[in-house]
Amino acid sequence: MPTILVVSGTGTEIGKTVVTAAVAAAARGRRVAVLKPAQTGLAPGEPGDAAEVARLAGGHVTAVELARFPEPLAPATAARRAGLVPVRPFEVAEAAEKLATEHDLVLVEGAGGLLVRFDDEGGTLADAARLLSAPVLVVAPAGLGTLNATTLTAEALRNRGLSCRGVVIGSMPAEPDLAARCNIEDLPVAAGAPLLGAVPAGAGSLAGADFAESAPGWLAPELGGTWAAR
């Protein structure tokens, strides 16, 4: 696994934080940091996504948040409305590189999708990944509509010369419908990259110890787990 891995979703609220936590948990025995460049929709003092990754994955995870904006909006919009300085892609890259000097694995979790704006100049998570020369792990929903969004995300990565590490399904239903079952086979084709896991729906509600113990079973060996597509 690379030292720095960027985690992006094909959209929002699709299990990106839980997948990030699963990757961190599967890396037990290594020093792991999770970097959240821009946390939106939370007041000061409320636990954010990085803290949730640390809670689920275990005590070997360092949680870092660069900026926080109170309204649940795209980071650039939330920063502008709050009158706060936005986070810039070069700041994300610098923070990740610094963490990489002290950790074996740095997970950079984006906000929403790959091209959501961090600032009014159009800086995105993709720009941070390019500055870092880091591969991107794509988190996608299980069901109908995911193939188009995954294809668009993979195309955006290729157009920027970025590497797609693979795809992980962020919330796999216990009883998947026909579309979700077919997408197990179709998602790698849409992404042009392997399917590297499927995290079960509701996994984020588990206690930390239970989550950390189960996480390797949701991820492929390339991410430190034992999962295989069936």
Side-chain angles (χ1 to χ4, degrees), residues 136-226:
V136 178
L137 182 68
V138 176
V139 181
L144 198 64
T146 193
L147 298 180
N148 182 64
T150 301
T151 300
L152 290 171
T153 299
E155 184 175 303
L157 289 170
R158 287 193 297 271
N159 288 344
R160 289 162 175 78
L162 297 172
S163 170
C164 180
R165 178 72 171 176
V167 181
V168 174
I169 295 172
S171 183
M172 190 69 177
E175 297 183 3
D177 61 13
L178 177 61
R181 296 196 302 273
C182 289
N183 286 339
I184 292 288
E185 182 175 349
D186 292 341
L187 271 169
V189 178
L195 184 64
L196 296 181
V199 176
S205 65
L206 293 173
D210 294 332
F211 182 97
E213 181 179 356
S214 301
W218 307 329
L219 301 173
E222 294 92 326
L223 296 176
T226 60

Side-chain angles (χ1 to χ4, degrees), residues 52-146:
E52 179 66 359
V53 171
R55 181 189 74 82
L56 290 170
H60 66 296
V61 177
T62 301
V64 178
E65 182 181 290
L66 292 187
R68 176 173 291 211
F69 311 112
E71 294 180 316
L73 302 168
T77 306
R80 185 172 65 250
R81 285 179 52 84
L84 297 172
V85 177
V87 64
R88 314 277 186 181
F90 78 87
E91 294 172 320
V92 180
E94 288 176 353
E97 288 171 340
K98 181 178 179 181
L99 287 168
T101 66
E102 302 169 345
H103 296 82
D104 303 310
L105 174 64
V106 179
L107 301 170
V108 183
E109 184 194 341
L114 180 71
L115 302 184
V116 170
R117 290 189 169 205
F118 281 159
D119 57 43
D120 288 336
E121 286 69 52
T124 67
L125 184 67
D127 294 316
R130 179 178 52 80
L131 291 170
L132 289 163
S133 298
V136 178
L137 182 68
V138 176
V139 181
L144 198 64
T146 193

